[in-house]
Amino acid sequence: MSLFVIVGKNEPIFEADFSTSSTSTGASPNKVSAAEEGNAQLNQFILHSSLDMMEKAMWSSPYMNLRAIDRFNGHIVHAFLTAGGTAFLLLHDGSRGEESLVGFFKDVYELYVKLLMNPFCEMDRPIVSTSFEARVRVLEKRWLR
């Protein structure tokens, strides 16, 4: 179970749920059980509440990778802060090592910079590119599984 969110200045601009429970069942993608919806809302709440911890950590660390900034019920929130102030947050179960998390963040950061270099892309606007999402999912398979 992993949830990845890119947070701009005021709001989330990209979200990818890497949990395998919703794709491994034979259920229709439109039908979501109440438990899965409750877990999704809890995960979003955990990430939202960790933003305060990220802001606290960003002033005490000179690095872009802020590492584990929050923990809740066996879940860990890792943060990566870009030079422009955009934050990458990853909620995971802690089964991966620090090297794989850093590799994931750096590769997603490279994708994000390439996306921003597109003259039609506006900073702090929701990312709706299916190509970007597909590439993030490839990086998740490469680094986090």
Side-chain angles (χ1 to χ4, degrees):
M1 187 282 309
S2 297
L3 180 65
F4 174 68
V5 176
I6 298 177
V7 181
K9 298 278 186 212
N10 298 319
E11 63 186 350
I13 58 175
F14 179 79
E15 181 179 328
D17 187 1
F18 300 139
S19 64
T20 55
S21 62
S22 61
T23 58
S24 64
T25 62
S28 166
N30 295 334
K31 295 181 181 178
V32 178
S33 71
E36 288 175 346
E37 187 173 325
N39 285 339
Q41 290 175 350
L42 176 64
N43 293 342
Q44 289 175 347
F45 178 75
I46 293 169
L47 285 175
H48 187 274
S49 65
S50 68
L51 289 174
D52 291 334
M53 301 301 286
M54 183 200 66
E55 189 170 326
K56 188 179 192 182
M58 71 186 233
W59 293 112
S60 62
S61 174
Y63 304 108
M64 295 174 80
N65 182 20
L66 300 177
R67 297 184 168 198
I69 57 167
D70 200 5
R71 297 175 193 278
F72 181 79
N73 283 348
H75 299 304
I76 301 171
V77 178
H78 269 76
F80 183 90
L81 195 63
T82 68
T86 303
F88 297 169
L89 298 174
L90 179 68
L91 175 70
H92 62 97
D93 59 3
S95 62
R96 292 289 166 210
E98 189 71 28
E99 286 181 24
S100 62
L101 295 171
V102 170
F104 174 75
F105 280 136
K106 286 184 179 181
D107 286 352
V108 171
Y109 182 49
E110 183 179 334
L111 280 177
Y112 182 68
V113 169
K114 287 179 182 178
L115 179 76
L116 290 180
M117 289 172 45
N118 182 343
F120 299 109
C121 179
E122 296 179 38
M123 186 139 180
D124 284 337
R125 303 294 288 169
I127 299 171
V128 294
S129 170
T130 56
S131 173
F132 181 81
E133 181 176 359
R135 290 178 180 169
V136 168
R137 291 192 180 278
V138 166
L139 291 175
E140 182 266 337
K141 288 179 184 173
R142 177 180 172 198
W143 289 106
L144 301 179
R145 285 194 187 173

